[in-house]
């Protein structure tokens, strides 16, 4: 089991910045993948950025060059620095963790979500 607690959402003007945090209840070294998804109204949840290993990262094309995912292993926390925000970045942002069980099945864990609203 992994509990994820997110923080850092809010309202910002276009061009501004926000940093999201996601604290895990266990060592993130024991987590196979960890990162961020988002869901805008009436849209499907989509990947934003994720660590697929300690050093391998995937970004959505829409955020490359603007968003940066990072991690603090000592704090069991993953961050998402969002710069040059656009109104289309408005969404609920969810932290996600994937842990493979002994049967190699992927167990997905989700945070409660944090709202990011970018005004034009």
């Amino acid at each position: 089991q992994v509990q994820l607690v997110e923080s850092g959402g809010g309202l910002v003007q276009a061009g501004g910045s926000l940093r999201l945090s996601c604290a895990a209840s266990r060592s993130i070294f024991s987590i196979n993948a960890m990162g961020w998804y988002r869901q805008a109204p009436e849209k499907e949840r989509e990947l934003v950025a994720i660590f697929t290993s300690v050093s391998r990262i995937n970004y959505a094309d829409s955020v490359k060059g603007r968003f940066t995912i990072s991690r603090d292993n000592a704090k069991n926390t993953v961050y998402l620095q969002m710069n040059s925000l656009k109104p289309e970045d408005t969404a609920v942002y969810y932290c996600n963790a994937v842990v493979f069980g002994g049967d190699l099945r992927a167990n997905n864990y989700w945070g409660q979500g944090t709202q990011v609203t970018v005004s034009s």
Side-chain angles (χ1 to χ4, degrees):
Q1 288 280 350
V2 183
Q3 281 76 49
L4 302 170
V5 178
E6 301 140 339
S7 61
L11 172 64
V12 66
Q13 288 188 332
S17 298
L18 284 174
R19 189 176 82 154
L20 306 182
S21 300
C22 175
S25 60
R26 60 192 268 185
S27 169
I28 57 177
F29 284 118
S30 69
I31 297 172
N32 297 98
M34 188 167 173
W36 296 92
Y37 287 71
R38 68 186 180 187
Q39 188 166 17
E42 301 182 358
K43 291 189 176 181
E44 293 192 356
R45 193 171 297 189
E46 63 176 2
L47 173 71
V48 177
I50 193 165
F51 281 99
T52 57
S53 69
V54 173
S55 58
R56 183 168 294 178
I57 297 170
N58 287 339
Y59 287 102
D61 287 342
S62 59
V63 307
K64 284 180 180 176
R66 301 188 298 122
F67 291 11
T68 302
I69 190 172
S70 62
R71 56 195 285 160
D72 185 330
N73 298 325
K75 295 182 178 180
N76 297 326
T77 299
V78 170
Y79 303 97
L80 184 68
Q81 178 67 43
M82 305 184 292
N83 298 328
S84 302
L85 282 160
K86 304 175 181 180
E88 51 264 44
D89 295 317
T90 295
V92 178
Y93 283 69
Y94 295 93
C95 184
N96 169 258
V98 179
V99 179
F100 288 107
D103 58 0
L104 299 183
R105 295 176 71 175
N107 298 295
N108 270 279
Y109 301 93
W110 296 94
Q112 78 280 6
T114 185
Q115 177 71 45
V116 171
T117 303
V118 184
S119 63
S120 57

